[in-house]
């Protein structure tokens, strides 16, 4: 059945090839028209980051997060810290600066004004009893009241210390710093505008007496936006480098112009498609589409190299172009299709980012068939024939052939290569175990370790319990259920359970408020800082707290208006994979205990940056276990069907497996975690290997059909295809290498290093493992079969001529 399907497929491919060469101008005209259509759409392309695209929306944590963010705030939080260099913040100059910073943050674009918190914000209030016993509240600080005296400053410090929702959380334990926090409305975030306003505010507030720090996801995204011009410059320099490589390699006009034209056409198709279907270009993913464009160049190089080889033999431009496409049409088409599908499997990922990238990059990769694989040889048939028909690189090819004849073409040499492959694989497994699902260090790996953002994040985490929040939702089935004493006790018990983690910096929830109000009601006697034993009294204390404030929603950050949902917040200093794994395990254990002890109570994770990162890490593990094997299985299946051989499928996957294993070993050795940004990089890198392997295997089969000797077939294949593959590997590396040295975004630099490593290992694996396997095991599909496609082609041509 497989052979029958493959025969029909090959017959259709041959007919398509015949039609293409019979109508080159029509095909090129169609490609031009489609290119113009895509080019017209490019101005509508949007370049921006969407936080929700990075989240696996069907994950239970994200469903809880989407509920939490409406009432209690999300993970898109701007955090600013004001640190005094000498003394404490309890002086008039520093308090004025904190209030000015608070007002400035509250006025940032996209800020949810109901979810701003600071020592000087109107929502932070000191509760007290008047002489009649009524509950009242005042702001801790109001600059309109004038400068405070020494006695008033001391009283303010005392009031802050007595309030657990302020001291330690908004004012540092050493009294030297204050935090200003603001949640952004996620459906309406203009990161660039918000970040610009924040940086202007920070510059305005800066003075010699204070340090100002900023952190939070909107700040990180804003910093990324500041590098967009640099990214465009890197793309321009990369294009110049590719041009230089083509000039050095070919020193002929067609060899330079046609691959560059392929880059231009494929980029127009890819970007135009994204604009047409409304997919945004994510700044952090820029190296991936440009790598696809570089891969378009590599396919163009293969075709032009083969054209010049054939031209040196037949001395006829049209015939040489026809022979080049005939020789590479099938392996090239197969490689491009596997490439495109290998990227397209990203749609299986849980996050919308993966889905969008899979659709866009998959189409971009598939378009190479038209923009390069058809365009280059068809253009060569209608362009004037070069006057010089000599193959200029024959000397280097002869040298490669000579080296191959003494190494991998010999049985002992080939066997040594395969044994070395096994040895490297075993050694690589030692480092693979160290690969983490998520971030492997504090701060953000997107930026350099000494970047203002990472330094600010570290400073804030050193001064405060932590800027990384986990939100946990406690829910009861009935309205007002949070007021039940057993529910209040369960929430506190859950908090105590989480506090068993020594790295938890602090926590806040509604029971803490109830205890403070109860204490105030009893003449500020510490013995009364306890939870009442009946629902009515709990409700009364909560009501007293609310009416003491002239601002509506005094308990908004703790409970919903129906009082059936309560928010618990836990503060940590980083969101490393190891930290999150520990937190989630502890929280899930606490959840089971609380729900078992209190009927009708449910505990749900998880909001805040810790919660969404935990969900992303868990989804990544699943995605990773699906996407990478799917690429392998798909490549194996397509090659097996196309060549009608299980052995062929295995031989194509073998170098991919080796290169992938070495990639994970590299990641484990250098502490690169698997994240939503690195999974696409790995998937693209895995797919690259099939290009090299297919071209090598097909050329060995072709040479074997001619010379009838496996050793000579391998020598001829490496001498010809090996040189072209070496150059295409160089062009692919050139497509990403400048990101290493020129990008100030550490993630892009690290991703470029990772991609370069994968490209080099894939090229080496294909050049050594495929020939070595053929020499040692002599696969039947290479040794004993006459190329059925050649026979079919021979049968079809006379029929067509008749």
């Amino acid at each position: 059945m497989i052979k029958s399907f493959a025969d029909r497929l090959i017959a259709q491919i041959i007919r398509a090839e015949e039609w293409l060469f019979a109508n080159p101008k029509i095909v090129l005209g169609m490609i031009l028209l489609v290119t113009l259509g895509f080019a017209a759409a490019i101005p509508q392309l949007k370049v921006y980051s969407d936080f929700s695209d990075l989240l696996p929306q069907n994950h239970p944590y994200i469903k809880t997060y989407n509920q939490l963010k409406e009432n209690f705030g999300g993970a898109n939080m701007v955090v600013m810290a004001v640190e005094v260099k000498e003394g404490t913040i309890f002086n008039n100059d520093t308090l004025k600066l904190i209030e000015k910073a608070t007002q400035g943050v509250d006025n940032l674009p996209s800020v949810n004004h109901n979810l701003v918190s600071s020592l000087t914000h109107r929502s932070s209030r000191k509760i007290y009893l008047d002489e009649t016993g009524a509950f009242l509240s005042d702001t801790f600080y109001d600059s309109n009241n004038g400068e405070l005296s020494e006695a008033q400053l001391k009283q303010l410090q005392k009031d802050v210390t007595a309030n657990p929702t302020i001291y330690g959380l908004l004012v540092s334990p050493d009294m030297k710093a204050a935090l200003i926090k603001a949640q952004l409305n996620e459906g309406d975030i203009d990161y660039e505008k918000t970040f610009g306003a924040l940086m202007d505010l920070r510059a305005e507030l800066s003075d010699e007496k204070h340090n100002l720090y900023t952190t939070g996801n909107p700040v990180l995204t804003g910093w990324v936006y500041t590098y967009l011009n640099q990214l465009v410059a890197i793309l321009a320099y990369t294009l110049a480098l590719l041009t230089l490589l083509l000039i050095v390699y070919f020193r002929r006009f067609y060899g330079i112009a046609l691959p560059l034209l392929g880059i231009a056409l494929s980029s127009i198709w890819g970007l135009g498609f994204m604009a047409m279907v409304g997919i945004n270009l994510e700044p952090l993913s820029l190296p991936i589409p440009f790598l696809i464009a570089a891969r378009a160049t590599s396919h163009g190089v293969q075709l032009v190299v083969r054209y010049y080889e054939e031209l040196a033999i037949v001395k006829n431009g049209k015939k040489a172009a026809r022979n080049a496409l005939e020789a590479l049409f099938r392996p090239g088409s197969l490689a491009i299709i596997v490439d495109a599908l290998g990227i397209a499997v990203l749609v299986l990922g849980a996050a919308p980012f993966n889905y969008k990238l899979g659709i866009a990059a998959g189409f971009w990769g598939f378009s190479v068939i038209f923009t390069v694989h058809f365009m280059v040889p068809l253009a060569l048939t209608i362009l004037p024939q070069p006057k010089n028909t000599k193959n200029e690189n024959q000397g280097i090819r002869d040298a490669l052939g000579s080296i191959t004849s003494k190494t991998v073409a010999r049985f002992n040499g080939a066997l040594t290569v395969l044994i070395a492959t096994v040895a490297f694989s075993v050694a690589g497994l030692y480092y693979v175990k160290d690969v983490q699902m998520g971030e492997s260090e504090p701060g953000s790996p997107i930026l350099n370790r000494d970047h203002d953002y990472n330094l600010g994040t570290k400073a804030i985490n050193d001064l405060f319990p932590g800027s990384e929040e986990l939100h946990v939702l406690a829910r009861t089935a009935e309205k007002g259920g949070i007021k039940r004493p057993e529910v209040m006790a369960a929430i506190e018990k859950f908090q105590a359970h989480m506090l068993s983690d020594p790295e938890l910096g602090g926590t806040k929830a509604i029971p803490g408020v109830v205890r403070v109000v109860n204490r105030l009601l009893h003449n500020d006697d510490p013995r009364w800082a306890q939870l009442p034993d009946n629902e009515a009294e709990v409700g009364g204390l909560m009501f007293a707290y609310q009416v003491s404030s002239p601002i509506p929603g005094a308990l908004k950050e703790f409970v919903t208006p129906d009082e059936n949902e309560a928010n618990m917040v836990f503060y940590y200093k980083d969101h490393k994979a190891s930290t999150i794994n520990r937190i989630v395990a502890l929280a899930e254990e606490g959840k089971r205990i609380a729900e078992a002890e209190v009927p009708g109570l449910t505990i749900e994770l998880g909001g805040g940056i810790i919660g969404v990162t935990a969900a992303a890490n868990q989804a990544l593990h699943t995605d990773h276990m699906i996407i990478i094997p799917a690429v392998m299985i798909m490549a194996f299946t397509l090659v097996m069907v196309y060549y009608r051989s299980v052995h062929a499928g295995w031989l194509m996957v073998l170098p991919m497996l080796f290169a992938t294993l070495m990639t994970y070993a590299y990641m484990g050795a250098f502490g690169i975690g698997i994240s939503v940004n690195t999974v696409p990089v790995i998937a693209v890198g895995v797919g690259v290997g099939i290009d090299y392997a297919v071209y090598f295997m097909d050329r060995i089969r072709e040479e074997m059909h001619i010379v009838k000797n496996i050793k000579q077939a391998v020598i001829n294949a490496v001498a010809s295809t090996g040189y072209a593959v070496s150059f295409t590997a160089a062009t692919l590396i050139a497509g990403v290498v400048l990101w290493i040295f020129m990008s100030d975004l550490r993630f892009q630099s690290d991703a470029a290093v990772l991609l370069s490593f994968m490209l080099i290992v894939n090229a080496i694996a294909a050049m050594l493992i495929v020939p070595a396997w053929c020499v040692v095991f002599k696969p039947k599909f290479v040794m004993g079969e006459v190329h059925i496609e050649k026979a079919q082609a021979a049968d079809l041509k006379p029929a067509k001529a008749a």
Side-chain angles (χ1 to χ4, degrees):
M1 182 176 177
I2 291 177
K3 287 191 176 184
S4 176
F5 173 76
D7 291 344
R8 291 195 302 271
L9 176 64
I10 292 170
Q12 292 300 322
I13 289 174
I14 293 169
R15 290 191 180 95
E17 181 186 331
E18 290 288 329
W19 185 86
L20 287 173
F21 273 99
N23 305 279
K25 294 182 180 179
I26 293 176
V27 176
L28 291 173
M30 292 170 62
I31 292 173
L32 176 61
L33 286 175
V34 175
T35 302
L36 293 175
F38 281 127
I42 288 179
Q44 282 72 52
L45 179 66
K46 296 180 179 179
V47 182
Y48 66 89
S49 295
D50 188 339
F51 183 69
S52 63
D53 278 352
L54 304 177
L55 308 181
Q57 295 296 327
N58 291 324
H59 193 285
Y61 292 1
I62 302 303
K63 291 180 179 179
T64 299
Y65 167 76
N66 289 332
Q67 273 188 290
L68 278 166
K69 71 181 182 182
E70 298 301 325
N71 294 310
F72 306 118
N76 264 310
M77 177 186 290
V78 171
V79 180
M80 176 181 280
V82 177
E83 180 191 25
V84 65
K85 293 181 180 179
E86 294 183 7
T88 71
I89 65 169
F90 296 102
N91 65 81
N92 284 290
D93 289 342
T94 301
L95 291 170
K96 286 179 183 177
L97 187 66
I98 294 170
E99 183 176 39
K100 191 174 181 180
T102 301
Q103 292 172 352
V105 169
D106 201 359
N107 290 326
L108 292 176
S110 306
V111 163
N112 184 333
H113 303 293
N114 294 320
L115 293 173
V116 176
S117 55
S118 162
L119 169 64
T120 64
H121 192 260
R122 61 185 181 277
S123 61
S124 298
R125 308 188 69 83
K126 174 181 63 176
I127 306 171
Y128 61 95
L129 296 175
D130 66 7
E131 61 275 6
T132 66
F135 274 96
L136 297 176
S137 71
D138 285 329
T139 56
F140 281 93
Y141 176 79
D142 187 347
S143 61
N144 294 324
N145 295 332
E147 291 201 353
L148 302 180
S149 65
E150 285 298 321
Q152 289 173 317
L153 290 170
K154 289 182 179 179
Q155 183 59 46
L156 174 58
Q157 181 172 340
K158 181 180 178 182
D159 293 338
V160 167
T161 306
N163 192 320
T165 65
I166 303 295
Y167 179 60
L169 300 183
L170 295 178
V171 175
S172 63
D174 62 4
M175 304 289 186
K176 293 183 68 66
L179 274 188
I180 301 99
K181 296 182 176 182
Q183 295 281 349
L184 301 190
N185 296 307
E186 289 192 8
D188 184 33
I189 300 179
D190 186 332
Y191 288 106
E192 193 170 9
K193 186 176 180 181
T194 301
F195 177 76
L198 179 64
M199 291 298 102
D200 289 343
L201 173 65
R202 181 174 168 182
E204 179 187 344
L205 297 175
S206 296
D207 61 30
E208 296 179 353
K209 297 180 181 180
H210 302 89
N211 294 319
L212 298 176
Y213 308 107
T214 54
T215 189
N217 183 69
V219 181
L220 174 62
T221 305
W223 276 116
V224 171
Y225 273 67
T226 65
Y227 294 107
L228 284 179
N229 289 336
Q230 183 189 70
L231 303 185
V232 173
I234 293 173
L235 295 179
Y237 283 118
T238 300
L239 186 60
L241 177 59
L242 289 173
T243 304
L244 179 62
L245 285 175
L246 290 170
I247 292 172
V248 171
Y249 180 74
F250 282 107
R251 301 183 298 281
R252 292 183 176 186
F253 179 74
Y254 293 163
I256 300 165
L258 290 178
L260 290 178
L261 179 61
I263 279 188
L265 294 180
S266 67
S267 298
I268 291 171
W269 282 43
L271 295 173
F273 175 79
M274 293 177 70
M276 282 183 174
V277 300
I279 294 177
N280 59 294
L281 184 60
E282 165 64 54
L284 287 177
S285 68
L286 275 177
I288 293 175
F290 206 77
L291 178 65
I292 296 172
R295 287 164 77 172
T297 306
S298 73
H299 289 290
V301 166
Q302 289 279 356
L303 286 162
V304 178
V305 166
R306 189 59 180 258
Y307 168 76
Y308 283 127
E309 282 184 11
E310 296 293 335
L311 184 63
I313 299 171
V314 300
K315 310 297 182 182
N316 181 286
K318 291 185 178 181
K319 179 64 175 175
R322 176 65 183 268
N323 290 349
L325 182 61
E326 187 174 292
L328 298 180
F329 187 89
R330 288 167 287 280
S333 298
L334 178 64
I336 292 169
I337 291 171
V338 174
D339 283 350
L341 292 178
I343 301 170
V345 296
L346 289 171
V347 300
L348 300 175
F353 168 77
N354 282 335
Y355 180 82
K356 289 182 178 181
L357 186 60
I359 294 293
F363 174 84
W364 195 331
F366 183 73
S367 72
V368 173
I369 284 185
F370 304 99
T371 59
V372 175
H373 210 53
F374 293 169
M375 183 276 294
V376 169
L378 293 180
L380 287 168
T381 63
I382 63 174
L383 289 170
Q385 177 180 317
K387 294 180 180 179
N388 180 11
T389 61
K390 183 180 178 181
N391 192 344
E392 299 289 349
N393 296 317
Q394 190 59 47
I396 299 176
R397 297 164 191 269
D398 291 342
L400 281 174
S402 176
I403 294 172
T404 303
S405 67
K406 299 173 183 176
T407 53
V408 74
R410 294 184 175 183
F411 182 86
N412 289 340
L415 187 61
T416 301
V417 167
L418 296 181
I419 292 173
T421 300
V422 174
F424 274 106
S425 299
V426 173
L429 289 173
Y430 175 80
Y431 294 101
V432 170
K433 62 179 175 53
D434 296 326
V435 179
Q436 295 189 25
M437 201 66 61
E439 309 299 354
S440 58
E441 60 185 62
S444 172
I446 292 175
L447 301 169
N448 290 321
R449 292 179 180 88
D450 60 353
H451 190 278
D452 178 85
Y453 175 84
N454 281 331
L455 294 178
T457 301
K458 183 180 185 303
I460 290 173
N461 284 324
D462 288 343
L463 290 166
F464 292 89
S467 61
E468 317 281 357
E469 296 183 0
L470 168 66
H471 291 229
V472 179
L473 186 68
R475 177 188 288 120
T476 60
E478 75 282 6
K479 290 183 179 181
I482 294 298
K483 295 182 291 187
R484 288 160 46 195
E486 64 271 25
V487 172
M488 284 281 179
I491 292 174
E492 280 202 324
K493 190 171 182 179
F494 184 89
Q495 288 179 281
H497 180 77
M498 296 298 290
L499 282 166
S500 64
D501 180 357
E503 294 190 25
L504 174 60
T507 176
K508 70 175 182 179
I510 186 63
V513 176
V514 172
R515 285 180 179 273
V516 169
V517 176
N518 200 15
R519 171 179 170 171
L520 285 172
L521 189 63
H522 293 85
N523 297 315
D524 207 21
D525 187 343
R527 292 175 297 177
W528 283 95
Q530 56 185 273
L531 297 174
D533 58 3
N534 65 84
E535 183 177 337
E537 193 172 346
V538 171
L541 294 173
M542 291 170 60
F543 179 75
Y545 181 85
Q546 291 188 80
V547 299
S548 70
S549 172
I551 302 171
L555 287 177
K556 183 176 177 62
E557 64 177 311
F558 297 103
V559 295
T560 57
D562 288 337
E563 298 176 337
N564 67 326
E565 294 179 351
N567 183 35
M568 293 178 274
V569 186
F570 303 90
Y571 300 92
Y572 297 89
K573 295 183 182 296
D574 64 72
H575 56 271
K576 294 188 300 182
S578 56
T579 301
I580 288 178
N581 292 340
R582 186 184 67 252
I583 293 170
V584 168
L586 198 61
E588 291 288 355
E589 181 185 8
K591 165 185 165 71
R592 288 191 296 270
I593 294 171
E595 291 179 347
E597 292 181 352
V598 182
L601 174 67
T602 57
I603 303 292
E604 298 179 8
L605 283 67
I609 195 67
I610 295 290
V612 299
T613 305
N617 289 353
Q618 291 180 13
L620 275 172
H621 179 71
T622 303
D623 291 351
H624 189 251
M625 298 304 293
I626 294 174
I627 290 173
I628 304 305
V631 174
M632 300 284 186
I633 293 171
M634 179 266 310
F636 172 83
T637 303
L638 286 176
V639 174
M640 178 188 69
V641 169
Y642 188 83
Y643 286 103
R644 306 180 304 282
S645 168
V646 173
H647 202 150
W650 161 248
L651 185 54
M652 288 302 92
V653 172
L654 179 60
M656 292 172 66
L657 282 171
F658 175 74
T660 304
L661 178 61
M662 291 297 99
T663 299
Y664 287 128
Y666 176 87
M667 293 175 70
F670 290 93
I672 300 175
I674 297 175
S675 68
V676 70
N677 293 314
T678 56
V679 166
V681 171
I682 297 170
V684 171
V686 168
V688 169
I690 195 73
D691 287 6
Y692 306 139
V694 165
Y695 281 120
F696 262 110
M697 183 179 72
D698 202 80
R699 190 59 182 262
I700 292 172
R701 292 179 76 230
E702 183 180 339
E703 294 293 336
M704 187 65 196
H705 181 63
I706 298 170
V707 301
K708 308 298 183 184
N709 179 282
I710 188 61
K711 177 180 179 179
Q712 192 59 48
V714 165
I715 293 171
N716 293 349
V718 173
S720 53
T721 301
Y723 185 56
V725 164
S726 300
F727 181 74
T728 56
T731 61
L732 288 171
I733 294 170
V736 296
V737 71
L738 291 184
W739 299 92
I740 299 173
F741 308 105
M742 298 181 64
S743 179
D744 289 326
L745 292 174
R746 181 159 65 103
F747 162 73
Q748 289 185 335
S749 178
D750 289 346
V753 172
L754 182 62
L755 276 170
S756 298
F757 177 82
M758 295 184 75
L759 293 169
I760 292 170
V761 174
N762 270 310
I764 293 173
M767 291 182 68
L768 295 179
I769 294 176
V770 172
W773 189 275
C774 291
V775 169
V776 172
F777 294 102
K778 299 179 175 58
K780 181 180 178 182
F781 79 99
V782 171
M783 301 291 296
E785 293 183 349
V786 176
H787 288 194
I788 187 171
E789 56 266 32
K790 297 284 186 183
Q792 288 176 329
D795 291 341
L796 282 170
K797 288 175 185 176
K800 182 173 176 57

